[in-house]
Amino acid sequence: MAEVTLVGAVNMALARALSDDENVLLLGEDIGVDGGVFRATEGLLDRFGPERVIDTPLSECGIAGSAIGMAAQGLKPVAEIQFMGFIYPTLDQIISHASRMRNRTRGRLSCPMVLRAPFGGGIRAPEHHSESTEAIFAHIPGLRVVIPSSPTRAYGLLLAAIRDPDPVVFLEPKRIYRVVKEEVADDGEAAPLDFCFTLREGIDVTLVTWGACVEDTLAAARELAEEGVDAEVIDVATVKPLDMDTIVASVARTGRCVIVHEAALTGGVGAEIAAQLASEGLLSLLAPVERVTGYDTIMPLLRLEDRYMPSRARIKAAARRALAYG
Amino acid sequence: MSTVARFEFRYTRVLDPSGALVGELPDFAGDREALVDLYRGMVRTRRFDAKAVSLQRTGRLGTYASSLGQEATSVGIGAAMAADDVLVPSYREAGTQLWRGVTPLEILLYWGGDERGMDYQVPREDFPISVPVGSQALHATGCAYAFKLRRQKRATVAVLGDGGTSRGDFYEAINMAGVWHVPAVFVVSNNRYAISVPLRRQTAAQSLAQKAVAAGIPGEQVDGNDVLAVRHAVARAVARARAGEGPSLIEALTYRLGDHTTADDASRYREEAEVSAKWKEDPIVRLRSYLANAGLWTKADEEKLLEEVEAELTEAVDAYLATPPQPPEAMFDYLYAELPTALVEQRRLAAGGEDDEDGGDG
Ligand SMILES: Cc1ncc(C[n+]2csc(CCOP(=O)(O)OP(=O)(O)O)c2C)c(N)n1
């Protein structure tokens, strides 16, 4: 078994999907000869050729729109947008076409495509390169929005996304692309979509998070343990549709919940989770739901980005507040 | 100073507005049946449009976009395509769709507000019409890529309006199609208006055909009210595409004789005199004159055709009016291949309408 990073696992899953299914193809800017700016597609052009690993023009709307045309023909395009900050030209195609092709045609045509993009801050990247706007996509009926947070889950979830018969927006937390290495078996096993992963069990407070914040949240949980606080950590993984059953069941045990995400507070996916907890888990809540998130500001340039991101300290403070309540 | 490149654009016209032969007669036009089929296609489209508009006016159909005056472009495109080609239409191509086997009932269901009208039973792989103007052009590029990848000798034909050519995704579509050298044909049905905006406010370019230059693909113009010319030019481009010779762009010069849609009043932005002058270029009269002058069409033929079309369309309208709406849970049933657990409760609520005091219709 190979020890791989998260981005290495993405590469492994792409290679596996390309070799298992001739309908799978990749398209995006600089993904071929260059292997992708993060090297997620390194070596794939050589292995699978330029017809299936396509270096496209600089044309985000074109990448998404042509992928829809391919997908309606039964191909399984995996389109890469180089950074999430450049994904917005695809919104018309994704919202007006990809997400509703099946619905509009009563199942006659469908759109089994994946739109991959690295997202989030923390790598001291230039302006527009650090955004977390998953909530925009999570708002759209007909889409799935999937966010891995470890090499193992990146491999399994990406395979699942590619095999899924409907469009999936697959957001890769680039801050942890190379932070953790894990042994990942290239066994072609997909991980379940629409399903939360409980990464740490605990009885005092439920910490709910996804993406790069999973690492920080796990670290915060370890530090809280030293204070005698036993935190449960849930990686939401699929932020659309949400697996509320797992979250509600956890909060039923702990009575307290802290939601952690890098995206801005207002209208974030955390707001939806909090709202659903309020309607489905109200009686088990012993404290108000806390949210530790990016601020409702423009993602700052790199000098201030650390002050924007939810820090371990902020996560711990919120957990302590929840525990102290009432 | 030296010249980097020069460009020329072909303009094709076979019949002039009076129906006189002014260009080279394409091979297919030597066959009476082929000509009569084109004529029938246009008449059927016009009658269909008229029925749809009157259904809307009497409150029995939603907003409808008629193709009045543009039948030659619409039908010519349909006739140029093979059954296994794929159409990627705008919302004004009932003529092309009807030709390809989409039924009048399906089109009425769509504009009547029923998604089942996009579940075409015959051209199974054709795209549903696209309302976001121009966005569909990219689907043609991707679909054509699939044909090329699979070594299939098929072509994709996208249709969009003149307004659509101002959108970035139109340019992205022709540019990518050019780079990938895929079997796609882009037809711009230039009816001179995008709702109220005339072509001169849409672009400073002398033609829309020349937009092909920027994408490095062939572009040409055709008289879009001359069904023989449209069929001929589109068939040529489709044949090139199928032969692996890449994409092309065709600008069909036509004119929208009616309102933009039933929700529009064109008298707010154009003179009646302009419109009545354009009626002299009616594509249906043009072909009928040619057929009649050639002794290929009689009054009796005309009457019989009108009767047949009327019977077919009356039956379709009756079937449309008799089709009950889908149950409310149909909103959920085609959203994903399988209903996610998170939506089960919402579907149950929609189906039951429990909180809707009046059963969900108020
Ligand atoms: C992207 C987009 N913008 C605006 C509209 C509203 N709208 C509908 S049709 C239309 C004009 C389109 O003109 P054109 O492309 O020339 O096609 P035509 O309707 O004349 O066939 C507009 C502005 C729309 N449907 N899509």
Side-chain angles (χ1 to χ4, degrees):
Chain A
M1 242 193 304
E3 276 238 312
V4 292
T5 58
L6 198 157
V7 70
V10 166
N11 183 280
M12 231 164 78
L14 291 172
R16 164 63 59 173
L18 283 160
S19 40
D20 284 357
D21 183 351
E22 62 175 16
N23 286 317
V24 173
L25 56 78
L26 315 185
L27 68 161
E29 296 157 14
D30 307 294
I31 67 159
V33 176
D34 196 36
V37 294
F38 288 102
R39 308 289 173 258
T41 51
E42 176 129 59
L44 300 181
L45 173 66
D46 286 344
R47 274 184 71 189
F48 300 100
E51 280 192 316
R52 295 180 65 206
V53 180
I54 310 165
D55 268 323
T56 66
L58 204 164
S59 193
E60 283 78 15
C61 173
I63 290 167
S66 60
I68 291 165
M70 294 172 184
Q73 269 295 313
L75 294 180
K76 299 195 138 243
V78 183
E80 176 178 302
I81 299 300
Q82 209 160 63
F83 292 88
M84 194 176 197
F86 311 120
I87 211 166
Y88 310 120
T90 74
L91 286 181
D92 180 33
Q93 290 292 336
I94 298 300
I95 297 173
S96 305
H97 293 293
S99 68
R100 62 183 73 191
M101 186 67 84
R102 179 187 298 282
N103 187 66
R104 295 184 73 219
T105 62
R106 302 287 89 172
R108 180 172 63 85
L109 300 177
S110 59
C111 195
M113 67 178 281
V114 176
L115 190 69
R116 292 180 44 240
F119 85 119
I123 64 159
R124 315 190 82 65
E127 197 177 4
H128 301 290
H129 286 66
S130 300
E131 340 231 310
S132 299
T133 44
E134 65 272 18
I136 294 175
F137 291 101
H139 189 63
I140 306 307
L143 288 185
R144 278 196 163 71
V145 183
V146 177
I147 302 177
S149 64
S150 75
T152 306
R153 287 188 293 284
Y155 179 82
L157 290 172
L158 183 50
L159 281 179
I162 296 170
R163 290 173 195 164
D164 192 80
D166 293 303
V168 177
V169 176
F170 193 83
L171 301 174
E172 299 166 9
K174 61 181 179 293
R175 176 154 63 94
I176 57 168
Y177 256 162
R178 295 173 205 285
V179 165
V180 181
K181 275 196 169 186
E182 282 176 354
E183 302 243 311
V184 180
D186 187 11
D187 53 9
E189 283 288 320
L193 300 177
D194 306 357
F195 187 76
C196 295
F197 297 86
T198 303
L199 303 182
R200 185 182 202 283
E201 295 190 354
I203 51 165
D204 294 331
V205 58
T206 303
L207 309 180
V208 177
T209 186
W210 54 90
C213 292
V214 167
E215 281 298 318
D216 307 307
T217 305
L218 283 169
R222 282 189 297 269
E223 293 172 17
L224 284 166
E226 288 164 19
E227 302 172 16
V229 174
D230 189 10
E232 180 141 306
V233 177
I234 294 177
D235 172 12
V236 177
T238 301
V239 300
K240 168 83 169 204
L242 280 170
D243 166 18
M244 281 307 295
D245 292 351
T246 300
I247 298 170
V248 169
S250 170
V251 175
R253 287 191 303 273
T254 63
R256 301 167 207 272
C257 183
V258 177
I259 302 165
V260 183
H261 61 68
E262 212 176 291
L265 178 76
T266 300
V269 174
E272 179 59 29
I273 295 172
Q276 293 206 36
L277 273 176
S279 60
E280 285 164 44
L282 185 66
L283 296 182
S284 50
L285 280 171
L286 303 172
V289 173
E290 291 275 346
R291 284 183 287 162
V292 181
T293 71
Y295 301 108
D296 283 339
T297 64
I298 307 294
M299 177 83 196
L301 296 185
L302 61 91
R303 284 183 166 183
L304 285 182
E305 77 175 334
D306 291 345
R307 301 305 301 271
Y308 172 90
M309 314 276 275
S311 61
R312 285 206 305 275
R314 282 171 63 199
I315 298 167
K316 286 190 293 181
R320 288 188 205 110
R321 255 196 318 275
L323 281 156
Y325 186 87
Chain B
M1 203 181 76
S2 59
T3 302
V4 176
R6 279 183 214 286
F7 300 99
E8 273 187 7
F9 302 96
R10 173 160 56 184
Y11 173 81
T12 304
R13 169 185 265 186
V14 178
L15 301 179
D16 75 6
S18 76
L21 189 65
V22 292
E24 200 180 320
L25 200 65
D27 284 347
F28 69 81
D31 173 19
R32 176 183 183 271
E33 270 317 297
L35 294 174
V36 169
D37 281 350
L38 292 171
Y39 183 67
R40 181 186 303 113
M42 292 196 290
V43 169
R44 189 167 168 242
T45 303
R46 184 163 294 183
R47 285 305 302 151
F48 177 78
D49 277 340
K51 289 226 181 281
V53 169
S54 85
L55 282 169
Q56 191 281 333
R57 297 283 186 238
T58 49
R60 294 176 295 170
L61 194 77
T63 302
Y64 182 72
S66 156
S67 63
L68 183 65
Q70 301 176 225
E71 296 88 350
T73 296
S74 228
V75 167
I77 293 167
M81 295 174 67
D84 70 342
D85 292 333
V86 165
L87 177 71
V88 186
S90 81
Y91 44 78
R92 206 184 294 286
E93 307 310 326
T96 321
Q97 294 194 300
L98 289 169
W99 183 282
R100 288 182 56 71
V102 176
T103 64
L105 171 60
E106 286 165 344
I107 301 178
L108 290 173
L109 280 172
Y110 172 75
W111 295 99
D114 192 320
E115 287 84 356
R116 288 173 295 183
M118 289 182 277
D119 184 9
Y120 313 138
Q121 295 306 301
V122 172
R124 289 299 284 172
E125 294 174 60
D126 278 11
F127 283 68
I129 71 160
S130 172
V131 173
V133 167
S135 61
Q136 73 274 18
L138 277 162
H139 308 160
T141 301
C143 179
Y145 191 94
F147 294 162
K148 185 177 175 181
L149 183 75
R150 292 171 168 159
R151 313 282 185 262
Q152 295 172 329
K153 289 212 175 312
R154 306 169 69 184
T156 313
V157 179
V159 189
L160 66 154
D162 40 301
T165 64
S166 299
R167 295 241 317 172
D169 34 14
F170 162 70
Y171 171 69
E172 295 189 43
I174 59 175
N175 185 60
M176 281 176 123
V179 172
W180 292 345
H181 207 63
V182 291
V185 178
F186 302 91
V187 182
V188 177
S189 185
N190 177 1
N191 65 9
R192 319 301 169 104
Y193 286 91
I195 309 187
S196 67
V197 179
L199 189 65
R200 66 174 185 283
R201 297 215 175 278
Q202 203 63 246
T203 177
Q206 300 100 310
S207 75
L208 300 176
Q210 76 197 61
K211 300 215 168 200
V213 171
I217 68 176
E220 63 177 295
Q221 252 187 4
V222 61
D223 183 338
N225 281 14
D226 175 358
V227 69
L228 304 188
V230 175
R231 173 170 167 175
H232 186 48
V234 177
R236 227 167 19 205
V238 166
R240 251 197 329 266
R242 292 165 149 252
E245 291 165 30
S248 26
L249 173 65
I250 295 172
E251 175 188 9
L253 289 163
T254 178
Y255 188 84
R256 195 189 79 215
L257 289 171
D259 294 329
H260 168 70
T261 64
T262 49
D264 175 51
D265 171 9
S267 71
R268 292 172 61 85
Y269 52 81
R270 65 183 188 189
E271 298 294 328
E272 190 44 45
E274 175 187 310
V275 182
S276 42
K278 287 291 185 182
W279 268 104
K280 300 200 173 76
E281 295 176 27
D282 181 348
I284 295 184
V285 172
R286 187 181 308 202
L287 184 59
R288 186 168 59 224
S289 308
Y290 175 75
L291 285 169
N293 292 341
L296 300 173
W297 195 247
T298 64
K299 242 194 156 83
D301 290 330
E302 179 79 11
E303 275 162 22
K304 181 157 167 288
L305 171 63
L306 291 178
E307 250 168 57
E308 283 168 10
V309 168
E310 188 60 30
E312 181 209 3
L313 296 180
T314 304
E315 198 179 311
V317 169
D318 291 346
Y320 159 66
L321 294 172
T323 305
Q326 303 169 90
E329 59 270 30
M331 284 187 270
F332 293 84
D333 291 344
Y334 304 92
L335 196 51
Y336 298 91
E338 257 180 73
L339 191 71
T341 315
L343 291 178
V344 170
E345 177 62 10
Q346 287 184 30
R347 183 180 185 279
R348 196 187 62 76
L349 281 174
E354 286 152 42
D355 289 352
D356 285 313
E357 281 170 23
D358 47 10
D361 56 359

